[in-house]
Amino acid sequence: MLAQIINCIKFCGAFELALRGHDEKDSSANPGIFRGLINFTAELDSALKEHMSEATVFKGTSKDIQNDLLQCMLEVYHEKVKEEIGKADYVSVIADETTDISSLTQMVIVLRYLLSNGKPVERFWSFVNPNNCNAASLSTCVKDVLSQVIHDKNKLISQSYDGASVMSGGNAGVHVLIRQDYPYAHYVHCYAHKLNLIMAQATSQNTQVRIFFADINEIPAFFSNSPQRVRVLDDIVGKRFPGISNIRWNFKSRLVETVYEHRGSLINCLEEIQEQSKQTSTITQARGLLLRIQQPVFLFWLKVFHLIMPHVDILYNQLQKKQIDSVSAKKAITDFQQNIQQIRDSIDTIDVNPPSEKKRKVETSETRKIAAKEICDTVITQAADRFKFTGHLTASKLFVTENFNKYNKEFPEMLLNETHKAYPFINEPRLRTELEIIYMRQDFRNTSSASVLLKFIIENNLERTFSESVKLLKVLVTIPMTTSEAERCFSTLKRVKTFLRSTMGEDRLTALAMLSIEKQVISDMDDFNERVIDKFAQKKERRMDFLPHHTI
């Protein structure tokens, strides 16, 4: 019966449902989802129903039992992660902070490593409430977790955070303090955050572009404040405009694309609102938006960013993939730069001026085109600078398949030296010999990333032949290029710790979040319930004995 109670908790956790109810008495009409699920299950299981109605020693539904079971589930999950890390050659840590509904700082810690088949995984470990938001306090939280999972300090080969100064500071940032104890834990600034910084830099230097984004941001804001306006929008446009997020450029991409595709019907919608509305403020706002979105300058920048934004969106999505490694990231970035260059070359073909005004607007149009080219140049140069692979990431250049033919003719000695400097545990002469063979053979040139190349070597039983290459490939695949998994954990945090569950403790929060974030891992563990019961029985002396038969 205890296994069925565990299943009910797992169900609530997996779907982020509140276990506790307002009134959990047996006579209550609203005992909460967990008690309701237990009661529903009891109607289908006569043994459980008999237990729930007749048990006097242990019923298994109290809040203390819930907390004990959640803690045991978390411990079993942590043991699973430790077991996987024990078999992995290298580990990376990802960390980020946010503020929850209770205005508490929550730091999430995620661990990245390779499974035995060479597949990279990113496992949620815990939420932590640091005593302070300074580098010393945050690094202590990270070190506490690392001390639990890593015994060989050389095993940690990377740490990935956002670009906040407390994390990335060169003298006393978190990554510097971690590096004092873990010598090979090189820092990677999240590449998705870098992309946001690139686009923010490119679009902030021109007044017309700043005005364009201010105008286009007004469109979803105009409709979000009124159900009546939304009703007209649904009837005429049939598409709602996505809101704006200051930290996610893909939201701006969606808005630009939506306005570009539905601009004609949006004009009709604003005209209809202007004619129907009796409110002065609504008429004024609708008229103002209508005038702005019909101006040639708005149309010009709408077309420019209609060309640019899909490539930003593609790169953003590629960088968020869990399977991405430094080699595939390098290729995606190169493709992005080439596509932006092609857009720059096509700027001269953009023409949004009416035929009657072409002569009068030639000078203005040429000025805009020059500004558009400057924005493309800024994106390209900023991408080259911020996405530059130096230091430990130089090693990824050794496995860029497009360069294998060139490397076969002229071996990249400088890249090899930089790689050995970053990772001195690599046998440099042997790695050189192995790379010469890889560059020579045609079958290795069909691989598109470090993870694909590693998988190819493993599947063909070539680990011994290319032992140093495998070692370096495992390092490269283990390095996280973004903190996207941490952001996904924050999304779960917002759904688990809500306004009505704002007093939840850290242990319970971490356990419930784990059941949601890692539900696939829990589902794949055939003996999960049995291990939880064993821990629950051994946790403290109880009035019932659960160990012999795992039943109650």
Side-chain angles (χ1 to χ4, degrees):
M1 298 308 147
L2 187 55
Q4 291 175 316
I5 294 174
I6 292 172
N7 286 336
C8 291
I9 294 177
K10 285 163 56 178
F11 179 88
C12 292
F15 293 97
E16 298 154 351
L17 303 173
L19 275 72
R20 303 291 304 281
H22 177 69
D23 181 4
E24 296 185 347
K25 296 178 182 177
D26 292 337
S27 58
S28 173
N30 184 22
I33 295 175
F34 172 69
R35 291 292 297 271
L37 187 59
I38 290 287
N39 294 337
F40 175 76
T41 305
E43 293 299 320
L44 304 176
D45 188 327
S46 58
L48 179 60
K49 184 175 184 179
E50 180 182 355
H51 165 75
M52 296 302 296
S53 61
E54 298 181 4
T56 57
V57 176
F58 179 88
K59 186 171 287 189
T61 57
S62 71
K63 63 179 182 180
D64 293 331
I65 297 299
Q66 288 180 27
N67 289 335
D68 284 348
L69 287 172
L70 284 169
Q71 185 60 37
C72 292
M73 292 179 189
L74 183 62
E75 290 175 7
V76 169
Y77 167 74
H78 279 171
E79 289 176 356
K80 172 68 173 178
V81 174
K82 289 179 183 178
E83 181 183 336
E84 291 178 340
I85 289 177
K87 297 176 181 178
D89 294 309
Y90 307 104
V91 182
S92 294
V93 63
I94 303 169
D96 203 353
E97 324 102 66
T98 191
T99 303
D100 66 18
I101 192 68
S102 303
S103 298
L104 296 175
T105 299
Q106 295 288 351
M107 184 178 194
V108 63
I109 306 216
V110 176
L111 302 169
R112 180 182 172 101
Y113 50 90
L114 303 187
L115 299 179
S116 57
N117 59 1
K119 177 184 176 182
V121 293
E122 294 177 351
R123 301 290 196 221
F124 165 78
W125 182 264
S126 66
F127 285 113
V128 183
N129 178 221
N131 297 325
N132 204 316
C133 289
N134 56 34
S137 180
L138 296 177
S139 62
T140 298
C141 293
V142 176
K143 287 180 181 179
D144 287 344
V145 170
L146 294 176
S147 65
Q148 299 175 47
V149 298
I150 300 177
H151 303 297
D152 180 4
K153 293 189 175 182
N154 293 337
K155 198 169 186 175
L156 186 72
I157 49 87
S158 182
Q159 45 183 327
S160 181
Y161 315 120
D162 61 20
S165 58
V166 69
M167 309 299 283
S168 62
N171 295 322
V174 170
H175 78 98
V176 175
L177 299 179
I178 297 293
R179 190 83 181 269
Q180 292 174 356
D181 292 343
Y182 298 87
Y184 299 131
H186 299 285
Y187 168 59
V188 175
H189 179 183
C190 172
Y191 273 48
H193 283 80
K194 284 187 177 184
L195 180 58
N196 291 339
L197 294 174
I198 289 169
M199 295 307 300
Q201 178 74 14
T203 57
S204 64
Q205 295 179 338
N206 184 280
T207 302
Q208 287 188 2
V209 174
R210 292 198 298 271
I211 294 173
F212 166 76
F213 277 106
D215 289 343
I216 204 169
N217 289 351
E218 284 296 313
I219 296 174
F222 174 74
F223 289 101
S224 66
N225 297 324
S226 172
Q228 292 82 4
R229 299 173 192 174
V230 171
R231 191 178 304 114
V232 178
L233 179 70
D234 291 341
D235 291 340
I236 297 178
V237 180
K239 178 76 174 180
R240 298 191 182 184
F241 296 96
I244 289 297
S245 170
N246 292 328
I247 61 172
R248 296 185 181 179
W249 265 89
N250 61 335
F251 279 84
K252 292 182 175 67
S253 173
R254 295 173 194 171
L255 179 58
V256 168
E257 289 305 298
T258 305
V259 173
Y260 184 86
E261 293 171 5
H262 300 276
R263 180 177 164 275
S265 55
L266 173 61
I267 291 173
N268 296 334
C269 175
L270 292 172
E271 290 174 343
E272 183 71 17
I273 291 174
Q274 184 177 303
E275 292 176 5
Q276 289 185 358
S277 180
K278 298 179 180 180
Q279 295 182 353
T280 303
S281 61
T282 299
I283 294 173
T284 303
Q285 292 177 47
R287 180 170 176 76
L289 274 177
L290 194 57
L291 291 174
R292 279 178 277 179
I293 67 175
Q294 294 183 90
Q295 290 178 345
V297 62
F298 182 90
L299 294 177
F300 175 82
W301 291 113
L302 182 63
K303 285 193 174 183
V304 169
F305 285 102
H306 164 67
L307 295 173
I308 293 175
M309 286 304 198
H311 299 289
V312 177
D313 210 13
I314 289 170
L315 179 58
Y316 195 86
N317 291 331
Q318 288 176 319
L319 292 175
Q320 290 186 93
K321 294 192 299 184
K322 292 183 180 181
Q323 302 297 321
I324 194 163
D325 55 62
S326 55
V327 176
S328 53
K330 181 68 176 175
K331 185 179 185 304
I333 292 165
T334 301
D335 292 343
F336 172 73
Q337 292 172 296
Q338 291 174 350
N339 289 321
I340 298 299
Q341 181 63 49
Q342 291 177 5
I343 292 170
R344 185 198 185 283
D345 296 339
S346 68
I347 292 294
D348 289 330
T349 63
I350 298 178
D351 187 4
V352 297
N353 292 314
S356 61
E357 299 183 4
K358 278 190 176 181
K359 292 182 179 180
R360 187 163 54 88
K361 296 292 184 179
V362 166
E363 183 177 347
T364 303
S365 178
E366 290 303 317
T367 303
R368 290 178 197 149
K369 290 177 180 179
I370 292 172
K373 291 178 181 179
E374 289 176 351
I375 287 174
C376 291
D377 289 338
T378 302
V379 172
I380 294 169
T381 55
Q382 283 283 311
D385 181 51
R386 292 184 182 273
F387 290 144
K388 186 184 298 181
F389 277 33
T390 58
H392 66 106
L393 289 178
T394 302
S396 64
K397 297 180 182 179
L398 293 171
F399 297 103
V400 176
T401 52
E402 289 81 358
N403 296 334
F404 280 8
N405 187 48
K406 181 176 71 173
Y407 292 163
N408 186 37
K409 296 176 182 177
E410 184 179 354
F411 190 85
E413 293 287 354
M414 185 177 297
L415 297 182
L416 182 61
N417 293 335
E418 284 291 319
T419 298
H420 185 257
K421 183 178 178 182
Y423 305 108
F425 52 82
I426 298 289
N427 185 323
E428 185 177 4
R430 181 170 177 81
L431 177 61
R432 191 187 198 286
T433 301
E434 293 174 7
L435 289 174
E436 287 175 346
I437 298 173
I438 290 174
Y439 297 153
M440 185 185 303
R441 290 178 61 90
Q442 185 65 39
D443 48 354
F444 285 103
R445 299 183 184 183
N446 297 325
T447 57
S448 58
S449 66
S451 56
V452 173
L453 179 56
L454 177 61
K455 183 179 178 181
F456 176 82
I457 293 174
I458 292 175
E459 289 179 348
N460 288 276
N461 298 318
L462 298 174
E463 292 99 322
R464 286 191 175 183
T465 306
F466 298 99
S467 58
E468 295 305 306
S469 298
V470 167
K471 190 184 296 184
L472 183 56
L473 284 168
K474 286 182 176 180
V475 168
L476 294 175
V477 178
T478 303
I479 295 174
M481 301 306 294
T482 69
T483 60
S484 298
E485 185 62 23
E487 299 290 347
R488 284 187 277 265
C489 292
F490 289 150
S491 298
T492 302
L493 170 66
K494 292 179 181 179
R495 295 191 297 269
V496 171
K497 191 171 185 179
T498 62
F499 177 77
L500 296 177
R501 292 189 275 174
S502 58
T503 60
M504 187 185 305
E506 289 296 302
D507 291 341
R508 186 180 177 94
L509 171 63
T510 295
L512 287 172
M514 177 274 296
L515 290 176
S516 172
I517 298 168
E518 302 293 352
K519 53 178 168 266
Q520 188 60 52
V521 177
I522 301 302
S523 176
D524 292 341
M525 293 176 63
D526 296 332
D527 61 343
F528 181 79
N529 286 7
E530 288 75 10
R531 293 172 65 175
V532 171
I533 294 172
D534 287 342
K535 283 196 170 292
F536 179 77
Q538 297 170 9
K539 195 173 185 65
K540 61 183 179 182
E541 290 188 8
R542 302 188 184 277
R543 297 169 66 187
M544 292 194 70
D545 184 10
F546 301 102
L547 287 177
H549 304 291
H550 290 168
T551 59
I552 60 174

